[in-house]
Every structure is written in C-alpha cells, then in structure tokens.
C-alpha cells in the first residue's frame, strides 16, 4: 500500500496471530515484532493493538496521547531487551513522502550497527 485508505492492513493479521511474526514484546495495548525486511541487526516494529484511527502519526488526536506514550516507552523496553539500549534509533515514517507503506501506526526500533545522519 502507498496510500492511507483507512482499510485493514497486514498488521491486523499479525495482531490476530493469523500470520506468524517474531514477537519480542507484548502487553495489553502494544505488540512488538521483528520487521520482515530488517534494515539493521535489530529492527523491531512497535504497534498499538487497537489502531483507533491511527493509520499514521498525522492522525494523532489528544485522545491518543496515552497510547503514543506507551508506544515510545515500549520502544525503550524493546531496545533494552535487544541489548542495544546504549545506541538505537526510533523512526516513524509518515505518508508517501515519508516512505510509509503500512497504514497502521508503527514505531521502528533500529539498532546493532552504527547509524548515519541524516537518513536517506
Ligand atoms: P513503513 O514503511 O510503513 O514505515 O514500515 C512498514 C514495515 O513493515 C516495513 O519495514 C516492512 O518490512 C514491514 N512489514 C511489512 N509486512 C510485514 C509482515 O508481514 N511482517 C513483518 N514482520 N513485517 C512486515
């Protein structure tokens, strides 16, 4: 997908465990699993189990503040679990120009190699 249709995404099936994923962290609100096409030795996606309109960060409303905080906190927990807490990157791609391909908000946690700045 390259556009925000608001329809279901592949992540719904991952949440429902209809398709397998490599889960590294899970709680009531958040699921974190390994990216199928890793861009670093550690590449984990952290997503809200309930999308609740959050196809992308651009759709964030005040009511999403709590889950947004939970996602970021979970990203830190994932970095610790993966042993990269001393050096990692958190990315949210938004929209076509931001290279977003799945329209269910997700935080990329990348680590295990030297990052470059600015990103491409
Ligand atoms: P985006 O480009 O939207 O920021 O990130 C979407 C990410 O989801 C990509 O890095 C892509 O590799 C990952 N992805 C897409 N489909 C699947 C899948 O079925 N399983 C897993 N684990 N990752 C996926």
């Amino acid at each position: 997908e390259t556009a925000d249709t608001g329809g279901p995404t592949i992540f719904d099936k991952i949440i429902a465990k209809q398709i397998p994923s490599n889960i590294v962290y899970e709680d009531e609100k958040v699921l974190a699993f390994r990216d199928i096409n890793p861009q670093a030795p550690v590449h984990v996606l952290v997503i809200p189990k309930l999308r609740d309109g959050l196809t992308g960060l651009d759709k964030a409303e005040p009511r999403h503040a709590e889950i947004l905080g939970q996602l970021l906190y979970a990203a830190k927990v994932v970095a610790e679990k993966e042993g990269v807490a001393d050096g990692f990157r958190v990315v949210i791609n938004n929209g076509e120009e931001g290279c977003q391909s799945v329209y269910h908000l997700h935080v990329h946690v990348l680590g295990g190699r030297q990052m470059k700045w600015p990103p491409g």
Side-chain angles (χ1 to χ4, degrees):
E1 266 186 83
T2 52
D4 181 355
T5 64
T9 77
I10 193 81
F11 291 174
D12 292 311
K13 291 187 172 157
I14 288 175
I15 293 163
K17 297 180 172 136
Q18 287 164 357
I19 61 169
S21 69
N22 200 329
I23 294 170
V24 298
Y25 173 78
E26 181 173 16
D27 64 27
E28 197 188 325
K29 298 284 171 68
V30 167
L31 183 68
F33 54 95
R34 294 192 198 286
D35 197 293
I36 204 168
N37 182 25
Q39 302 302 312
V42 173
H43 189 171
V44 175
L45 302 173
V46 183
I47 71 171
K49 287 185 173 177
L50 195 64
R51 188 173 62 174
D52 186 25
L54 281 175
T55 52
L57 186 60
D58 61 313
K59 302 302 188 301
E61 301 282 351
R63 67 187 160 88
H64 294 124
E66 186 175 4
I67 187 66
L68 290 171
Q70 288 168 327
L71 291 170
L72 213 47
Y73 182 73
K76 173 257 187 178
V77 171
V78 165
E80 276 180 345
K81 282 177 85 99
E82 293 292 302
V84 297
D86 59 340
F88 65 104
R89 178 172 289 169
V90 167
V91 172
I92 297 174
N93 296 325
N94 196 96
E96 269 186 74
E97 199 161 297
C99 281
Q100 185 175 1
S101 61
V102 178
Y103 284 87
H104 181 130
L105 180 67
H106 50 282
V107 176
H108 296 258
V109 180
L110 297 142
R113 65 166 168 82
Q114 179 61 53
M115 297 294 157
K116 300 177 189 74
W117 192 261

